[in-house]
Amino acid sequence: MRIVLLGPPGAGKGSVAALIKDRYALLHISTGDILREEIRKESPLAKEIKSYIERGALVPDEVITKMVDQKLTKDLGVTEGFMLDGYPRNDSQAKELDAILKKIDSSLDFVLNMEASLPLILSRISGRRICKKCGAVYHMTNKPPKAAGVCDACSGPLYQRSDDNEETIKNRMSVYNSSTAPILEYYRKQGKLVTFDGDKETNVLFEEFVKFLNENKRFNKNQNASRN
Ligand code: ADP
């Protein structure tokens, strides 16, 4: 199975991705997580990356594409497929992705697109808290941890992402509308786009994904499937 998760910030890509990853043996590539890890490790690119993320702007294509290329080229093969989450985010990344996949003799099966309404997006993002240790995602009201500020799974401390503030969210939404939303058409034309209602609760949405994926087993390992 080779899929891309698309949708505006707060549509639930990360939450659904965690469940999909548990259900299927997939290489999960979240560009946001990779970038935050670069910052945490204080890598040579950390400062530059941080300045983009904190403004809600896109990190330059060449930086991000190189990271995705490395992951797909090196890490693929040990799993049944991959799930890209947060990439591609603009037209040039979509084309770069096609080039990378061609290079490794692969292709996309489906682009699973989540649409969500703005008030819900804003409340999800502003209430989001993440475990510093294991990355588990909580929400202050929808999915609070048992003990305040502490991860249920690993007891790690919870934090709020520095770009989950009102000002940056506005920029992220506007970048989504101007740069990311147009690529939906790119995938629609290829017959790969499938849209889901991201307003639904994570588990309900996940079950819809599973149903769709099970009914559309065109992700056979040896088959370069596409929707027509
Ligand atoms: P969200 O989908 O909620 O915006 P992500 O974790 O996917 O969260 O992304 C956080 C930030 O990381 C983005 O606002 C952007 O600055 C950067 N980023 C993530 N993926 C990409 C990408 N494919 N291209 C450029 N920048 C990216």
Side-chain angles (χ1 to χ4, degrees):
M1 180 183 350
R2 297 159 300 211
I3 54 176
V4 163
L5 299 183
L6 264 185
K13 298 186 295 293
S15 307
V16 169
L19 297 175
I20 294 181
K21 192 183 153 203
D22 279 352
R23 178 73 61 100
Y24 302 95
L26 285 178
L27 175 66
H28 177 205
I29 303 175
S30 157
T31 44
D33 286 351
I34 295 173
L35 293 170
R36 283 183 287 276
E37 180 61 14
E38 291 287 313
I39 295 174
R40 202 193 57 77
K41 285 191 315 203
E42 297 181 351
S43 80
L45 287 174
K47 262 196 182 152
E48 189 191 347
I49 291 173
K50 199 168 174 209
S51 76
Y52 286 101
I53 291 189
E54 289 193 340
R55 274 181 286 133
L58 292 186
V59 171
D61 291 341
E62 56 277 17
V63 172
I64 199 85
T65 296
K66 201 169 157 199
M67 291 170 175
V68 172
D69 190 351
Q70 275 179 357
K71 283 261 170 204
L72 281 173
T73 316
K74 281 194 195 150
D75 299 347
L76 204 62
V78 288
T79 58
E80 277 181 22
F82 60 83
M83 169 172 53
L84 282 160
D85 159 10
Y87 186 94
R89 253 177 153 97
N90 60 24
D91 189 53
S92 111
Q93 293 182 10
K95 291 187 173 127
E96 287 286 353
L97 175 61
D98 282 349
I100 297 169
L101 293 176
K102 197 168 174 202
K103 189 175 74 181
I104 59 171
D105 201 19
S106 185
S107 65
L108 286 178
D109 295 318
F110 299 112
V111 173
L112 308 178
N113 173 41
M114 277 163 263
E115 280 176 354
S117 56
L118 192 59
L120 207 59
I121 286 177
L122 298 177
S123 99
R124 279 177 180 167
I125 296 183
S126 57
R128 176 158 68 186
R129 297 293 182 276
I130 300 164
C131 173
K132 209 161 207 154
K133 227 162 120 190
C134 74
V137 180
Y138 295 85
H139 188 277
M140 298 295 278
T141 45
N142 303 343
K143 194 190 166 198
K146 289 192 185 97
V150 181
C151 177
D152 295 348
C154 74
S155 302
L158 303 188
Y159 77 103
Q160 182 170 29
R161 265 169 52 176
S162 60
D163 59 341
D164 278 354
N165 63 72
E166 213 173 305
E167 196 51 37
T168 313
I169 296 169
K170 272 192 209 148
N171 287 340
R172 283 158 63 199
M173 282 308 296
S174 113
V175 168
Y176 173 80
N177 288 325
S178 61
S179 301
T180 311
I183 67 175
L184 295 176
E185 195 48 33
Y186 180 72
Y187 290 119
R188 186 175 291 119
K189 278 189 186 145
Q190 295 178 19
K192 293 186 179 178
L193 188 74
V194 193
T195 296
F196 293 83
D197 180 0
D199 279 2
K200 290 187 177 164
E201 201 250 315
T202 305
N203 286 324
V204 176
L205 193 57
F206 169 63
E207 288 309 329
E208 289 185 4
F209 273 47
V210 170
K211 187 167 180 276
F212 171 80
L213 292 169
N214 289 343
E215 284 172 3
N216 291 274
K217 287 193 191 279
R218 272 183 282 173
F219 41 81
N220 185 306
K221 263 189 209 165
N222 303 315
Q223 198 184 332
N224 283 349
S226 72
R227 297 192 95 201
N228 293 307

